[in-house]
Amino acid sequence: MKTVFVLNGPNLNLLGTREPQVYGSQTLADVQTLCERACATHGFALDFRQTNTEGTLVDWLHEAGRLQAAGTLAGVVLNAGAYTHTSVALHDAIKGTGITLIELHISNVHAREAFRHHSYISPAAKAVMAGFGVNGYALAITGLAGMQ
Ligand code: DQA
């Protein structure tokens, strides 16, 4: 059974109380449950994580790269939060590991402030998902299943 990494960046631990008009009222624990269900449907194991630290995300992407090279990882769903718009380091980690990665945003970043329109992740990602609310996580896992 292959594993899916679902990696969440800064402030996503605040889901449920953080700007609910933008991100909805479900918590990160609810998102984890939703991802567990989606992974079970597709026969994947789930590894679900959150950090507020950029370097930790880099380390986790390297770990994902090692697992993908070993044939045990289906891919990564990454909501890098605000690091999406700032992090060359995340871009380089995705490129450097060659992992199958889906960039995910709960909100439609293109309908929001101009500083959210540019992503350092998109040019290195296999696919991009934005604006489906937290259900986008399940859709992204289904998308990874179709890429196997
Ligand atoms: C986000 C969008 C980002 O612009 C923002 O900084 C986030 C969350 C989203 O899921 O919609 O933290 O990635």
Side-chain angles (χ1 to χ4, degrees), residues 47-143:
D47 195 330
F48 188 95
R49 307 180 188 183
Q50 189 274 331
T51 178
N52 293 318
T53 305
E54 185 177 12
T56 302
L57 284 172
V58 171
D59 288 340
W60 288 348
L61 292 172
H62 292 178
E63 186 183 341
R66 289 191 292 274
L67 293 178
Q68 190 163 302
T72 60
L73 188 87
V76 177
V77 177
L78 173 65
N79 186 346
Y83 291 140
T84 304
H85 317 298
T86 62
S87 181
V88 177
L90 289 178
H91 173 102
D92 286 350
I94 299 161
K95 282 267 195 176
T97 54
I99 46 177
T100 302
L101 182 137
I102 300 184
E103 173 183 353
L104 180 135
H105 303 287
I106 296 166
S107 64
N108 177 1
V109 284
H110 299 288
R112 299 181 63 194
E113 303 95 322
F115 65 82
R116 296 185 203 276
H117 297 178
H118 177 263
S119 167
Y120 284 98
I121 310 296
S122 298
K126 283 277 184 307
V128 181
M129 176 157 294
F132 287 94
V134 295
N135 286 330
Y137 284 83
L139 296 172
I141 289 166
T142 300

Side-chain angles (χ1 to χ4, degrees), residues 4-21:
V4 170
F5 271 21
V6 177
L7 305 181
N8 295 282
N11 300 307
L12 289 160
N13 54 312
L14 300 179
L15 274 185
T17 55
R18 173 194 187 196
E19 299 182 84
Q21 71 284 4

